[in-house]
Amino acid sequence: MMGSGDCQANVQPTIRLAVTGPEGFLAWHTRVAWLARGGSEVIGLGRTEFGDPAAMDQRLSRADAVIHLAGVNRASDDDAIAKVNPWLAEQLVRGLERIERVIPVVCGNSIHSTTMTGAPITAMLPAVRAAAHSGGLPTGMCAITSD
């Protein structure tokens, strides 16, 4: 079994990586790992960008790839998770449609795949899959999921 210190990544330093939820636990570690392995730029897509389409478009237009890690995995009620996570995915998809560029997207997940009541946290994935199957995602965009 390989430990995390044994991981050898072939990072291309010219790729500009956008990471959603840049201050979250997974995103923070993703940013640090990218830069430690020679990546040159990480473009954060946080609350400001998700709330302002012009800001989202400006940052996405600089990106060569996106890792979508933004989301709610704990909330006071399951409805908050069911509403916020699909909304985040929809805003990202709309931004990619507006800039009309082919950008690979990886959608992350966590071990918190359900809430205490069993409601799925990965509620954003059906929205991404539906858009992909209907041809609604920009050509070349893919969603890689763990389920």
Side-chain angles (χ1 to χ4, degrees), residues 70-89:
V72 176
N73 65 10
R74 292 181 184 94
S76 58
D77 64 56
D78 293 343
D79 289 339
I81 294 169
K83 290 176 184 173
V84 172
N85 290 344
W87 182 85
L88 291 167

Side-chain angles (χ1 to χ4, degrees), residues 83-103:
K83 290 176 184 173
V84 172
N85 290 344
W87 182 85
L88 291 167
E90 289 165 8
Q91 299 314 302
L92 179 58
V93 169
R94 287 180 185 152
L96 291 166
E97 290 170 341
R98 285 190 304 270
I99 67 167
E100 298 179 339
R101 286 188 55 224
V102 175
I103 300 175

Side-chain angles (χ1 to χ4, degrees):
M1 181 168 148
M2 292 177 57
S4 60
D6 300 326
C7 180
Q8 297 295 317
N10 185 14
V11 171
Q12 296 180 15
T14 58
I15 294 176
R16 296 164 299 185
L17 180 66
V19 178
T20 67
E23 299 304 320
F25 181 79
L26 293 176
W28 185 88
H29 286 280
T30 300
R31 290 186 298 116
V32 169
W34 178 259
L35 296 172
R37 289 174 173 81
S40 62
E41 183 177 2
V42 177
I43 302 163
L45 300 172
R47 288 186 171 111
T48 299
E49 290 74 29
F50 278 96
D52 179 353
M56 173 72 80
D57 297 353
Q58 186 275 332
R59 289 195 173 240
L60 276 177
S61 68
R62 294 179 23 226
D64 298 310
V66 177
I67 299 180
H68 180 46
L69 300 172
V72 176
N73 65 10
R74 292 181 184 94
S76 58
D77 64 56
D78 293 343
D79 289 339
I81 294 169
K83 290 176 184 173
V84 172
N85 290 344
W87 182 85
L88 291 167
E90 289 165 8
Q91 299 314 302
L92 179 58
V93 169
R94 287 180 185 152
L96 291 166
E97 290 170 341
R98 285 190 304 270
I99 67 167
E100 298 179 339
R101 286 188 55 224
V102 175
I103 300 175
V105 175
V106 175
C107 293
N109 199 346
S110 80
I111 61 170
H112 303 285
S113 62
T114 61
T115 63
M116 295 298 285
T117 63
I121 286 176
T122 55
M124 69 179 191
L125 298 179
V128 173
R129 283 196 193 104
H133 292 309
S134 70
L137 291 178
T139 305
M141 180 179 167
C142 62
I144 301 171
T145 65
S146 63
D147 65 333

